[in-house]
Amino acid sequence: MAILEVNGLKVFFHTRNGTVKAVNDISFSVDSGETLAIVGESGSGKSVTCYSLLDLLPKPPAKIEAGTALFEGNDLLTCSKDQMRQHRCNDIAVIFQDPMTSLNPFLTIGEQLIEPLVHHPDKDQAITRRSAKEKAIALLDEVGIIDSQERFDCYPHEFSGGMRQRVMIAMALITEPKLLICDEPTTALDVTIQAQILELIKKLQETRNVAVIFISHDLGVVAGIADKVIVMCEGTIREADITDNIFYKTKDDYTKKLLSAIPEGAKTLPNRSIHGSPLIDVSNLKTYFKNQSGKKDNENQFVKAVDDVSLAISRGEILGLVGESGSGKSTLGRSILQLAPATSGSVKFDDQVLTGMNAKQLVPWRKRMQMIFQDPYASLNPRMTVFETLSEPLLYHGLASKKEIAQHVKQLMDDVGLAQAQLRKYPHEFSGGQRQRIAIGRAIATKPEFIIADEPVSALDVTIQAQILDLILDLVEQHNLTMMFISHDLSVVRYISDRVIIMNRGVIVEQGDTEGLWARPKEPYTKDLLSAIPLADPRSERLRIATR
Amino acid sequence: MYRFALGRILQAIPVLLAVITVTFFLIHSAPGGPFSADKAVPPEVIKALEEQYNLNQPIWQQYVSYLGDVVRGDFGPSFKYSGRTVNELIAAGLPITAELAFYAMIVALVIGLLAGIGAAVRPNTAQDYIPMTAAMIGICMPSFLLGPLLVLVFGINLEWLPVSGWGDIPGDKILPSITLGAGFAAYIARLSRGGMLEVLSQDYIRTARAKGLSETLIILKHALRGGLIPVVAFLGPAFAGLLSGSFVVETIFQIPGLGRFYVQAAFNRDYTLILGMTIFLSTLIIVFNLLSDMLAIWLNPKLRHEIKGAK
Amino acid sequence: MNSSIEENSSSLWKDAWIKLSKNRLALFGLAILCILIITSLLTPLIAPYSYEAQNLELGATSPSIQHWLGTDIFGRDMLTRIMYGGRVSLMVGFIATAVALVIGILWGAVAGFFGGRVDAVMMRIVDMLYALPFMIFIILLMVVFGRNILLLFFAIGAVEWLTMARIVRSQVMALRNQEFVEAANSLGLSQWTIIRRHIIPNTLGPVIVYTTLTIPSVMLLEAFLSFLGLGIQPPQSSWGLLINYGVETMEEFPWLLIFPGIALSLTLFALNFLGDGLRDALDPRASKD
C-alpha cells in the first residue's frame, strides 16, 4: 500500500521572463519503509517536486498547474491550510540541504526541537515543555549528539556542520513522521561526515519503518540506500525503476550519460612525459593566519593553515591534493603561487626561490604559473566581457599587440571550446560550465608551465564536470602542463592525477602514486577517507554498509 | 558582555573630551565677544562682567577650569538669562523634551512596526503598498512642514486641537508628538519591512513552516528577532534625530523644552548655554548610541557568543 | 563590434537600465529631477518676475493668471521665488553631496583596500565621528562663524561622508577577496590596474544608489537649518526659508506655506523614488537570476 501517490504533477514558475516548467507531469509512489531516490542535475525539478507536496514553494511565482498527491488517500495539493499544518506536524518531515541556514540562528536548538510538539495544532496533542524536552534529549542521544543535556541549550553556530545536520535529523524525527523527505542532506558536508549521516538516516529509517524520499544530484550517494530510483531531467522523469536496474540495466540515454560522467578509475594519457626534475619545490612551508576569534593566549594566536609542508612536483606531472574542508589545501595552493604570504619556508619554481620576492619581481614569474578557481560565478569580473577578460593577460604581459589581440583571443576561445561569436558577452550570460571554460581560457592565455586548479569542478553538475575534466586533461597534454589539482572529491582526483597528496589539518598525511595509494593506504585517516567515498555501485555499497 | 560594555564606555570618553574641547574653542574663537551685541554698555561694566565670567584669564586656563567644572557636572551661569545657571535651564527643559521624545518614540514604534511588519507579511499587496507609500510621504514631509500643516488643518480650520503649549490645555501634547514621531515612524516602517522581508526569505523560515508551526508563531518567534535588528540599530541615531527634531517642533508649538532653549541660545549667542547644552546633549546621544548598539548585539546570539569568547 | 555573427551582449549596466525603465515611479522621479535641474539652470532667463522687486501695494494675493502661485506679503511673485529658492536648495544638495562623495570614496577605498591596521585606525575614526551629534555641531558652526553658504556645504558634506565611507569600504573589502581579484593578482597585474579595472567598476552601483539617496537627505538638512533661521540667509533664499516665512503667515495666506512645501516634498519624493528604483535595478542579488 503506497503511503504517497503522486499523479500527473505539474509545477510551473511564472516569471517576468516567461514560464518555467519546473515540474512537468510526473507520477510516482512511495511505500512505507521504502526509500525512493530522486536523482537529477540542477534545474531538473527534483526539489520543486518535494517542496510542492508540503506547500513550501513561494507562490507566486510558483503555481501548481495540475496533478494530485495522495497521502494516505488525502490530496496534499488541494487540502486546506489547517490540514496542511496537520500533515506537516504529524505525517511528513523534511531534512534540508544546508543545516547552517536551515536552523534559526536566533533560537537554541532545544527550542527549535520542541516547538512542533509544544505548539501542536491540535491542542490535546500538544505536550508540556518538560516532556517535550525529555523526548528531544533522548532523540539527540539517538542521532549521536554527545552531552545532549547541555547541548540542548546551545545555538546552531556552536555546532559543527555534521553535528548541525544531526540536529536537523532529530528535528525532523521528533514528530514521528511517516514520510521523511531528505533534500540533498549530505551535499554541504565532508565525505567522512557524509558517510556517517547516510548511515544514520538508514538506521533510523529501519528502526522506525518510515518512508523516505531522498533527493540527490549524486548517483553514488543513493546507490547504497535507495530501493527505487527516479532519474529526473528538465522537469520530467527520464527513468524510474528499482535501484539495481537503474545502475546495471539502464535503458535511458540520459541515465547512461549520468553514470558514465561519474569519474571512475584512472584516465589514460598516452602522450605525456614526466621528467624527473622538479618544476616546483616546496620546503618546510608554513602559512599561519592571525586567529580571528580573539583568543589571545600564545597557543591559539595563529591558525596554522599550512604547517611545515614539503613537496615537489615534476615537470609534466598532475599532482592531486586531497583534503576535507579546513585541511589547508587551498591555502597551500595560494602560498605556492605567492598569493597568500608564507610565514616561513621556501617555494622554488624552476630552481628560483619565489618566497620573499616583491610584487614587481614576481611579475615575470606570474606569467609562467596560473590558477583556476572553484566558483565560476565569483572568478570572473561581472563588468568585463569575455574578450576583455581574455585579452587582459595577453596585453599586460605583452604577449600580443593590440592588432593581433582579436586573433589570439579567438584562438583561446577555440582552445576551451567556446563559440567565437560569444566574444562580446558578459559572464552572467553564460552557464556555470561555460564560465569555467572562460576562467580556464584566462589561465592558459599566458601559456604558463604550471597551473593550480582549486576545486575547478566542485560547483558544476556531474555531466558538465566530466566535460571540464576532459578539457583540462586535453590542455595538459597539448601544452605539456604541470598541474596541481586541489579537490575534496577523491574520485575526481583519482581520475585525473598521477600522484596524490592527502592533507589534514595543515600537514601532509600521506602521499604516493595514485593507484598505489588507492590499493594500499597506510595511514588510518587515508583509509577512512577512501572507505567513505560513495560508489555508484549498489551491490558493493550494500556490502560495505553491512560490513561496517 | 560587561567587559565589552566597559570597553565601549571607555572608548566614548575621548569622544566626549573631543566634543568638549572642540566646542569650547569654537565658541571662544567666535568673532566678537559675547557682549558685543549689546549696545552702549560702558567699558567698565564689560570689564566687570568679564571678570565675573573669568574671561580675562588666558584661554587655556579658562579651558582647564571649565573642564573641571564639567566633570563635576557644573556648566556655569547663563550669559543671557541673568541669575540662572545652565544647569537650572537644562533641569527645567529636560523633563519636557524627554516627555515629548518619549511620546514621539511611542508613536514612531507603534505605527512604524505595525505598518512595516504588516507590509512584509503580505508583500506586493495593498497591505504593503498603502503603508509604504504613506511611509515615503512621511520621509518626504519633514517635521517643519508637517507640523504647520497639522496646525493649519486640525488647529486652525477644524479647531479640534490646541496649537501651542505643553501641558497647559488638555490635548496640546498630541500634535507635537505626532509631528515629531511621524518621520521616524516612516523610517521604522521601511526598516522593519526590509528586515522582515530579508528574514522571511531565509531557509530557516521554510524549516519552521515544514515543522507545521502556525504563521503567527513563525512571524512572532522566528522572524521578528532577526528582522528587527535593523530597527534596534536605528534607535540610537533615531534618538539623536528626535533631539534635533525637538528643536523644530518645540519652536513651532512654543514648547519650553531643551530644543527651544538651544535654538534661542543660538540666536542670542548665549555662549555658556550653548556650550553647556552641546556637551549635555552630546553625552545623551553618545549614551543612547551605546545602548542601542549593545541591545543589537545582545539580540544576536552569535555576536553575543563572540564577545563572550573575547574575554 | 566588427561582425554580424557576434551574438547580442548585454552588460550589467544595460540590464540595470532595462529594469529601471520598467519602474514607473523611478522614471517619474528621474523626469521630475531633470525638469528641476533644467529649470534651475535657466531660472534667470525664464523666471516670470524679478526675484527682489517688491510691490507693496499689491501685497499678498492668492494664485491668479498673472501670478500662478500668488504673491507674498511684499507682493513678490511666489513662482519666481520658489524657482530661485530651488536653485539654492538643489545646489546645496549637489555640492554637499559631492563633498561627501569625494571624502567618503577616498577614505573608504583606502581603508578597504589596504585593510589591516590602516583600516582599523581609519574605521575607528569613522566610528567615533558617528557617535558625534553632528546636527548640533552644524548649528554651532553656523552660530560661531555666521551663516555662510560655503560653510554650509562643507559642514553638511562633513556629516554625510561617513556613511559613504562605510559603504565603499565594505564593498572594496568584499571585492578584494573575490576570486576574480585574486585571479588578477595571479596574473601579476599592478595594484593600480586592479583597482582601476576590477574594483572601481564593481563598486559604482552601490555608490550611485547611495549618492541618489544622499542628495535628498542633504536638501532636508539644509531646509531644516534654514527653517530654524540657521541656514541660508536672506537675501538668498531656499525652500526651507520660504517655508519658514510661510509658517508665519499661514493663517491668512496658506499658499505661501503650501507651494514651497510641495516643491520641497515633490523633489524629495522624486529623488527617493529614483534612489529606490536604482537600488532595485543595480542590486547584484536581483540580477543573478
Side-chain angles (χ1 to χ4, degrees), chain A residues 334 363 366 370 373-375 378-384 392-393 396-397 421 424-426 428-429 442, chain C residues 5-13 15 178-180 182-183 185-190 197-198 201-202:
Chain A
R334 282 166 167 77
V363 170
R366 293 250 179 253
Q370 280 300 309
F373 296 89
Q374 170 175 2
D375 183 354
S379 67
L380 297 171
N381 185 341
R383 304 212 179 262
M384 278 165 66
E392 186 171 54
Y396 191 81
H397 287 288
R424 305 280 167 183
K425 289 199 164 196
Y426 287 86
H428 67 273
E429 300 174 84
R442 173 180 56 195
Chain C
I5 53 156
E6 278 178 8
E7 291 168 29
N8 284 331
S9 70
S10 86
S11 71
L12 291 180
W13 295 116
D15 280 3
Q178 288 267 313
E179 288 183 347
F180 69 81
E182 214 170 4
N185 267 320
S186 81
L187 286 173
L189 301 191
S190 70
R197 281 178 65 92
H198 295 278
N202 285 293

Side-chain angles (χ1 to χ4, degrees), chain A residues 247-402:
Chain A
F247 281 88
Y248 302 128
K249 284 185 255 172
T250 175
K251 295 176 226 58
D252 181 72
D253 289 340
Y254 180 72
T255 312
K256 279 182 196 151
K257 198 169 137 198
L258 277 185
L259 283 168
S260 67
I262 298 170
E264 238 176 314
K267 87 296 171 189
T268 46
L269 279 186
N271 301 323
R272 279 170 65 245
S273 58
I274 300 172
H275 304 290
S277 72
L279 180 65
I280 300 288
D281 192 351
V282 177
S283 53
N284 305 99
L285 190 71
K286 291 180 185 171
T287 307
Y288 295 175
F289 296 114
K290 275 239 171 69
N291 195 334
Q292 296 292 328
S293 70
K295 285 185 188 134
K296 282 285 148 67
D297 50 308
N298 284 336
E299 197 56 23
N300 290 322
Q301 202 176 356
F302 295 104
V303 178
K304 299 178 176 179
V306 176
D307 196 12
D308 200 4
V309 165
S310 302
L311 61 91
I313 308 174
S314 308
R315 279 174 205 277
E317 184 181 37
I318 301 180
L319 174 70
L321 179 59
V322 183
E324 296 187 292
S325 53
S327 61
K329 58 189 190 301
S330 285
T331 308
L332 176 58
R334 282 166 167 77
S335 291
I336 291 175
L337 287 190
Q338 307 302 306
L339 290 172
T343 310
S344 70
S346 74
V347 175
K348 272 197 245 173
F349 181 91
D350 203 5
D351 286 331
Q352 172 72 44
V353 179
L354 299 182
T355 32
M357 280 190 183
N358 63 30
K360 213 168 205 166
Q361 291 168 318
L362 277 170
V363 170
W365 301 94
R366 293 250 179 253
K367 186 169 66 176
R368 299 174 62 183
M369 48 191 201
Q370 280 300 309
M371 183 145 180
I372 302 168
F373 296 89
Q374 170 175 2
D375 183 354
Y377 287 88
S379 67
L380 297 171
N381 185 341
R383 304 212 179 262
M384 278 165 66
T385 60
V386 182
F387 181 82
E388 287 169 311
T389 297
L390 292 182
S391 60
E392 186 171 54
L394 293 170
L395 292 174
Y396 191 81
H397 287 288
L399 297 171
S401 68
K402 283 240 157 93

Side-chain angles (χ1 to χ4, degrees), chain C:
Chain C
M1 307 262 167
N2 45 11
S3 69
S4 55
I5 53 156
E6 278 178 8
E7 291 168 29
N8 284 331
S9 70
S10 86
S11 71
L12 291 180
W13 295 116
K14 228 190 223 168
D15 280 3
W17 170 247
I18 291 168
K19 260 186 215 159
L20 188 68
S21 62
K22 281 183 188 158
N23 183 337
R24 278 193 213 143
L25 280 173
L27 279 191
F28 164 79
L30 188 62
I32 297 269
L33 192 63
C34 291
I35 294 172
L36 276 172
I37 291 172
I38 294 169
T39 316
S40 296
L41 290 175
L42 299 179
T43 293
L45 302 175
I46 61 170
Y49 291 88
S50 148
Y51 163 70
E52 279 169 83
Q54 302 185 350
N55 184 348
L56 291 173
E57 279 167 34
L58 182 64
T61 59
S62 51
S64 62
I65 308 265
Q66 287 84 31
H67 298 280
W68 291 358
L69 302 184
T71 55
D72 70 1
I73 48 170
F74 300 108
R76 293 177 295 196
D77 180 59
M78 268 316 272
L79 178 60
T80 309
R81 289 185 64 75
I82 287 175
M83 282 165 79
Y84 275 97
R87 264 162 83 87
V88 174
S89 289
L90 278 181
M91 191 163 72
V92 174
F94 282 102
I95 295 182
T97 303
V99 172
L101 208 59
V102 171
I103 307 178
I105 288 180
L106 283 178
W107 194 276
V110 169
F113 195 77
F114 290 100
R117 202 159 287 168
V118 178
D119 173 55
V121 171
M122 289 177 86
M123 287 337 267
R124 183 50 51 86
I125 291 173
V126 170
D127 284 347
M128 281 182 164
L129 290 177
Y130 247 110
L132 288 179
F134 262 102
M135 182 53 105
I136 293 173
F137 260 80
I138 293 178
I139 292 179
L140 206 62
L141 280 174
M142 289 293 152
V143 170
V144 172
F145 294 110
R147 287 168 276 161
N148 176 329
I149 196 166
L150 282 176
L151 188 66
L152 194 66
F153 291 152
F154 170 77
I156 296 179
V159 184
E160 300 286 339
W161 73 268
L162 294 171
T163 313
M164 181 62 83
R166 277 193 175 172
I167 289 174
V168 172
R169 170 184 173 267
S170 65
Q171 281 290 312
V172 171
M173 285 285 239
L175 285 170
R176 216 165 53 110
N177 297 322
Q178 288 267 313
E179 288 183 347
F180 69 81
V181 173
E182 214 170 4
N185 267 320
S186 81
L187 286 173
L189 301 191
S190 70
Q191 296 297 299
W192 172 238
T193 314
I194 292 174
I195 293 179
R196 189 169 49 85
R197 281 178 65 92
H198 295 278
I199 303 233
I200 289 178
N202 285 293
T203 54
L204 279 182
V207 168
I208 290 172
V209 171
Y210 185 69
T211 306
T212 320
L213 294 173
T214 301
I215 297 172
S217 75
V218 168
M219 290 178 68
L220 203 58
L221 203 55
E222 178 274 320
F224 182 92
L225 290 170
S226 297
F227 175 82
L228 286 176
L230 297 166
I232 301 294
Q233 203 172 7
Q236 271 177 327
S237 185
S238 80
W239 288 337
L241 209 54
L242 289 175
I243 291 173
N244 184 4
Y245 295 148
V247 169
E248 286 168 15
T249 57
M250 68 181 177
E251 284 184 51
E252 297 157 87
F253 317 120
W255 63 88
L256 297 184
L257 169 65
I258 289 170
F259 289 127
I262 288 176
L264 179 66
S265 285
L266 196 64
T267 311
L268 297 180
F269 250 122
L271 281 159
N272 276 313
F273 277 131
L274 181 62
D276 275 9
L278 282 171
R279 178 171 16 222
D280 292 343
L282 291 169
D283 188 350
R285 277 180 300 180
S287 67
K288 229 173 194 170
D289 45 21

